[in-house]
Amino acid sequence: LCSVRYTGVAGAAFRQEQHRRTVPPGQEETVTMTVAYSEYGPHVGDQDALKLTVAGAVEETGQVVAKELRVRLHSPELTLTLLAPAVVGQETPVQVVFQNPLPDTLSGATLRMEGAGISCPKPIPI
């Protein structure tokens, strides 16, 4: 498992596992891997993805199979709600909601609002 930058460049692997299984004829075998944010978080940036590469070998035949999966990480959304009717030339209260999905506290964030009639948006520290 490694991170992949938005440019397509892969980072160093930060997790590797090896499993050995015996699979009877006509049967299938499942291997599950759970990756916590605390493990992948330090390796990914804003527009990165995770790349999982799996390779298997059949001892009896020497046949090798491989598969790659890229998982794009989605950023949480902001919810915007007008709290009063919007009237030209008057201030309009807007509610902005952001829920932190991470187990870590976020700090140092700012909110910038842009739009028609907003000539100089000022960052609002959160």
Side-chain angles (χ1 to χ4, degrees):
L1 187 64
C2 68
S3 63
V4 178
R5 304 288 178 240
Y6 70 94
T7 58
V9 176
F14 61 86
R15 179 159 173 191
Q16 294 181 0
E17 293 184 6
Q18 187 170 359
H19 301 270
R20 173 164 276 183
R21 299 286 197 270
T22 299
V23 184
Q27 300 294 310
E28 63 182 41
E29 184 71 23
T30 300
V31 176
T32 302
M33 182 170 83
T34 301
V35 185
Y37 170 74
S38 59
E39 188 174 2
Y40 72 80
H43 303 279
V44 297
D46 289 344
Q47 298 178 16
D48 292 348
L50 294 176
K51 179 172 79 167
L52 176 64
T53 304
V54 178
V58 179
E59 287 183 359
E60 293 80 5
T61 64
Q63 181 183 13
V64 175
V65 293
K67 187 79 174 178
E68 183 177 289
L69 174 67
R70 287 186 188 218
V71 178
R72 187 181 178 300
L73 302 171
H74 297 278
S75 298
E77 294 184 19
L78 292 174
T79 302
L80 300 171
T81 306
L82 284 176
L83 299 177
V87 179
V88 175
Q90 294 183 11
E91 288 187 0
T92 302
V94 178
Q95 179 185 51
V96 180
V97 178
F98 170 79
Q99 183 175 1
N100 178 6
L102 304 176
D104 297 333
T105 299
L106 298 177
S107 61
T110 58
L111 176 66
R112 293 175 196 246
M113 297 178 73
E114 298 180 11
I118 301 175
S119 58
C120 186
K122 295 178 183 172
I124 302 168
I126 300 174

